[in-house]
Amino acid sequence: MSSKIFSNGHLENRGGVLYIDGVSSLEIAEKFDTPLYVLAERRIRENYRRLYDALKKHYDKVRIYYSAKANTSLSVLKILESEGAYLDTVSPGEVFLALRASFTSDRILFTGTSVRDDELKFLVDSGVTINIDSLSQLRRLLSFHLPEMISVRVNPEIGAGHHEHCITAGRDSKFGIWEDDVIKAYKYAREAGVKKFGIQMHIGSGILTVEPFLLAAEKMLEIARHVHEEVGVDFDFIDFGGGLGVPYRPEEESLDLDLYAEKVLGLYLRRIGEYDLGEPWFFIEPGRYIVCDAGVLLTRVNTLKITPFKKFVGVDAGFNTLIRPAMYGSYHPIIVANRFDSAEEEVYDVAGPICESGDLLARDRRLPRISEGDLLAVLNVGAYGFSMSSQYNSRPRCGEVLVKDGEYALIRRKEDFESLLIGQELPSWLK
Ligand code: LLP
């Protein structure tokens, strides 16, 4: 297990202790308490650049819209802003954070679903580009504002993803607009006076092979052709969404990035030529790919419980801190950060403090023999880790640290009990 994970460079075994880009996991766990999310800045930058370089080799007009929902910490947004990334957002709150992180509105795309009128007004006031998810949304937007640019999210009928919750196209999906209505949407926007156009899809998340991307891209490009021919629309950009997967299990292979770039951009360049679509910008919206393997969750063992059937390792991070195992049955690698030289000789369930049986970070996991007080490191949690955490069971959310070349800084204080009271009021009759 370790060889693949430690090929990432920022994770290092120094005398049996996990170092994250030169910072001792034991030192920061001690200093900032556990559970604690740790992010490696260098890895975020490497992931972004690797992806950008792979795409840019094939076409000049390429932009990466980092999908903020994977990790909206201000520091992460700042890092990507400084890399020159653009931003994919899904809520007014994400737009607010993006602007705070000094993204200008021309670098922000909004792709929401079930969007309210007041939210549309906020987006218009913010000046971001809106990617339309329904005819209703388009009608409501155009009723009070004429945007310069409109993009439409299409449902290309082909979805894929690591779990059914993460498949975002196809018959059962609530996202995007079906082809006939796509034509209607562009006609309607054009007649209303919209001048510039984009088209977008996002088929799902956690995809490790190139094939689904290609099948869906073919379909979206056909739809773009129909829109161009029937409505006379020229596209400023064509956005292929996110979904680029990252291996979590030891037996999983990485997505072949060069193959992805070669095949998807190859198809793109052929079709925009054949379909006479000009030279639109090529966008993608990766979240996980950029931040996933830059994140580690440190959690302390407080309990060992041996039953006739199971060995439980009780830790201080539950599904309030990392929900992916409980929500999707996701696998995250776990190592013992204070002595991971030791052989993996026991099989444990790693259990959190939440009062639900589903609160397991790992089931039947082979680990070194664990003692109370050991520090575990849960890997690949930079995406959809903190951003999906909650206060369930009235547990304040944990802190977050950024590491960089032997230095570290707290980028999010852990919450305290007072945080549990924020916004709460007692009615007069209970005071
Ligand atoms: N664009 C749109 C419109 C999206 O809805 C998403 C993710 C992305 C881009 C980025 O997808 P990515 O490149 O990260 O796969 N919580 C789940 C993942 C849900 C993703 C939802 N949409 C998980 O932990 O696996």
Side-chain angles (χ1 to χ4, degrees), residues 65-70 88-90 110-112 131 153 162-163 165-168 175 200-207 213 239-245 248 284-291 323-324 327-328 330 332 383-385 387-388:
Y65 280 70
Y66 164 62
S67 189
K69 65 177 82 60
D88 161 53
T89 58
V90 289
F110 176 90
T111 301
N131 191 29
R153 177 175 185 166
H162 71 84
H163 185 274
H165 294 348
C166 300
I167 299 174
T168 51
F175 297 104
Q200 189 264 8
M201 68 172 184
H202 171 70
I203 62 169
S205 199
I207 304 165
F213 291 113
D239 181 342
F240 292 81
L244 287 77
Y248 288 84
I284 56 167
E285 301 170 352
R288 189 186 318 266
Y289 187 87
I290 309 268
V291 288
I323 203 172
R324 301 191 73 258
M327 189 148 171
Y328 313 117
S330 300
H332 284 266
Y384 308 109
S387 65
M388 293 180 79

Side-chain angles (χ1 to χ4, degrees), residues 316-323 326 352-359 388-398 415 420:
D316 53 15
F319 74 60
N320 54 321
T321 307
L322 177 68
I323 203 172
I354 296 298
C355 293
E356 293 203 26
S357 294
D359 184 32
M388 293 180 79
S389 67
S390 73
Q391 292 181 333
Y392 184 45
N393 275 197
S394 296
R395 291 191 169 272
R397 270 180 286 247
C398 73
E415 294 177 347
L420 302 176

